[in-house]
Amino acid sequence: MSEKKILRQKMLKYLSGLPEHEKKEMAEKLQKKLYTSPLFQKAETIGITISTDIEWNTYEIIEKAREEGKKIASPKCIVKTKEMQYYVWDQQDQIQVGYAGIKEPIPEKATPIAANDIDLLLVPGIIFDKSGYRIGYGGGYYDRMLADYTGTTLSLCIEKQIVDQIPREHYDLPVEQLITEKRMIKIPK
């Protein structure tokens, strides 16, 4: 088994074992830090996944962004090509469970948007290193998308999810900023 897979499995086990009250408390700290970030405040369109139970809750972030007049764009996975297409949506009837049990926009009910029209992209991940590299869920969807993305990238994680260095492939790309429950880490280019 590869080092990435071992690290991914260990962190998923840790995250899934977090007591619900502790997870909620951490999520609230991450959200508060995000809301005070100039990146969030300036963004007009935010790219964000619709969280699953194991991830940091994005539902409150989506609501807060909408309250501030921001557009929300979420990805739909195209399994055949391992690519993502983003769609702007604002109603629950515009999303449904799709690839890997993840809620995704329904293309016929949402509005497509080019990735580079998204100001701030919240990139999910399981483990991050101090240089902004990440280990995701292993599909490679974000690596493909980030290769051409010109907007700003940011990830939410707790300190426990940050390690000194993770194994990297030639196609891996770092995020520009990490927000943890304790700090904001701007990644030098």
Side-chain angles (χ1 to χ4, degrees):
M1 188 179 301
S2 76
E3 187 179 351
K4 273 189 175 182
K5 284 184 181 178
I6 292 168
L7 289 168
R8 181 183 298 119
Q9 286 180 347
K10 283 182 182 178
M11 187 54 66
L12 284 171
K13 184 177 180 181
Y14 170 79
L15 292 171
S16 63
L18 274 177
E20 197 54 42
H21 72 279
E22 192 175 321
K23 188 171 182 181
K24 187 174 192 275
E25 184 181 306
M26 291 289 191
E28 287 171 0
K29 288 179 181 179
L30 295 173
Q31 291 162 8
K32 283 180 185 173
K33 287 220 180 292
L34 174 65
Y35 303 151
T36 62
S37 163
L39 299 176
F40 181 85
Q41 292 173 354
K42 290 177 189 172
E44 293 178 20
T45 303
I46 296 176
I48 189 169
T49 57
I50 305 162
S51 59
T52 61
D53 289 343
I54 199 153
E55 297 172 305
W56 299 112
N57 189 328
T58 60
Y59 288 91
E60 282 87 4
I61 296 169
I62 291 167
E63 273 309 304
K64 175 75 169 173
R66 286 201 177 117
E67 285 171 15
E68 294 187 10
K70 300 175 189 303
K71 291 182 194 171
I72 292 297
S74 296
K76 171 150 185 63
C77 293
I78 304 162
V79 180
K80 193 174 190 176
T81 59
K82 289 200 171 228
E83 295 174 314
M84 295 186 297
Q85 169 63 59
Y86 275 80
Y87 292 86
V88 174
W89 63 281
D90 55 15
Q91 302 290 326
Q92 290 296 316
D93 69 351
Q94 292 175 298
I95 59 172
Q96 67 184 3
V97 175
Y99 171 73
I102 301 166
K103 286 189 179 177
E104 300 178 325
I106 302 168
E108 299 77 26
K109 293 185 175 185
T111 306
I113 184 171
N116 285 324
D117 290 336
I118 297 170
D119 303 309
L120 176 62
L121 185 66
L122 272 67
V123 181
I126 299 167
I127 299 176
F128 300 86
D129 71 16
K130 294 173 181 176
S131 299
Y133 288 91
R134 55 181 273 287
I135 295 175
Y137 291 89
Y141 287 85
Y142 274 93
D143 293 321
R144 285 176 186 80
M145 190 254 183
L146 292 175
D148 297 319
Y149 180 66
T150 58
T152 303
T153 57
L154 178 149
S155 291
L156 302 175
C157 60
I158 58 173
E159 292 287 330
K160 182 86 174 170
Q161 289 177 272
I162 299 176
V163 297
D164 287 333
Q165 189 173 359
I166 58 173
R168 297 179 195 157
E169 305 295 335
H170 68 280
Y171 50 78
D172 289 337
L173 294 167
V175 294
E176 295 168 63
Q177 190 164 352
L178 298 174
I179 292 181
T180 77
E181 74 277 18
K182 294 182 179 177
R183 59 192 169 142
M184 294 183 188
I185 304 167
K186 187 171 175 140
I187 309 299
K189 290 188 176 188

